[in-house]
Amino acid sequence: METTRFAPSPNGSLHLGHAYAAIVAHDLALARGGRFVVRLEDIDGARSRPELAVEFAEDLAWLGLEWDAVPAQSSRLASYADAADRLRAAGLLYPCACTRAEIAAAATVHGPEGPVYPGTCRGRSVDPAGAAWRLDTAKAMERAGPLSWDDELAGTQRTRPHLLGDVVLVRKDAPASYHLAATLDDAADGVTLVTRGRDLFAASHVHRLLQHLLDLPMPRWHHHPLLLDESGEKLAKRRGSPSLADRRKAGEDGAALAQALREHRFPAGISLG
């Protein structure tokens, strides 16, 4: 059975970009007689607002979507700790005390997500207390050997996690980074088709490596286009993109909105890219 998922973070209301992502995942599962699941990625410290879980459910139901709920990330902390311990025991993680400003100043390469960490703390003696833990990507790839993964839109990809450098897997302020948590969660939820925006395409190189290192099943991927605003930037909570909740409370027809998004009929100033 095909299983897709939508995994929002409760640190702000959903907007049209989220609606489009949820509809893509929902409709792919529906068309294949599969299962669509919704998971809260709620381990972002004080930014996570538990009360938004109810709002998210009301928004998705307003759009006419049906889903199965799976456990939120906050209930899975033990699995993240266990995976990190396994990678440490294998000699594939190292502590890092660098700040973002130090990384930006030292980086000589820029990747899909910004400055690529130059490996400053790799091989150094760093107090692990309060440090982040990074994946030694070169060592991990040497151990794994050549890997590949399949995207339904872009085809077969040679795994190249070096594009993101030695990514953080355990944050200073959270029990896991997106890379580790999402990889483990998708496996636990039986996700067979990882549906998400093109902005996360490069992250899938890292996730494919983690799946190999942690003996997890390999899904397929579907990186869909993003909704963009008038400036060509993706819709984002931090830029105040209009929320689904506000549209719903104003009496807009959610089912009609969902159908318009399916047909790529977008509100003025919004495009697909």
Side-chain angles (χ1 to χ4, degrees), residues 17-177:
H18 294 109
Y20 183 76
I23 289 166
V24 169
H26 172 272
D27 289 1
L28 283 169
L30 185 65
R32 301 173 189 185
R35 179 172 178 250
F36 170 58
V37 304
V38 174
R39 177 180 72 234
L40 281 183
E41 297 193 339
D42 62 344
I43 56 172
D44 200 12
R47 295 181 63 202
S48 288
R49 296 160 52 194
E51 69 275 10
L52 286 178
V54 173
E55 180 180 293
F56 289 1
E58 292 174 345
D59 290 342
L60 296 178
W62 172 68
L63 291 170
L65 307 186
E66 296 182 355
W67 67 94
D68 292 336
V70 294
Q73 285 186 335
S74 56
S75 69
R76 293 172 158 169
L77 304 187
S79 71
Y80 307 151
D82 177 69
D85 286 344
R86 288 174 58 190
L87 294 171
R88 285 192 197 94
L92 297 177
L93 296 188
Y94 62 89
C96 172
C98 295
T99 65
R100 290 185 179 180
E102 290 169 340
I103 294 170
T108 58
V109 175
H110 281 248
E113 296 184 353
V116 175
Y117 180 70
T120 307
C121 292
R122 190 190 315 115
R124 288 185 174 182
S125 178
V126 175
D127 184 356
W133 287 84
R134 291 183 178 272
L135 177 68
D136 189 328
T137 299
K139 184 185 291 187
M141 280 301 294
E142 181 180 0
R143 182 166 303 182
L147 298 171
S148 64
W149 53 278
D150 292 318
D151 180 87
E152 288 196 332
L153 301 180
T156 300
Q157 306 293 312
R158 177 171 57 89
T159 303
R160 298 184 294 160
H162 65 275
L163 292 174
L164 298 183
D166 289 358
V167 296
V168 170
L169 295 188
V170 181
R171 291 166 43 183
K172 296 178 182 179
D173 59 348
S177 72

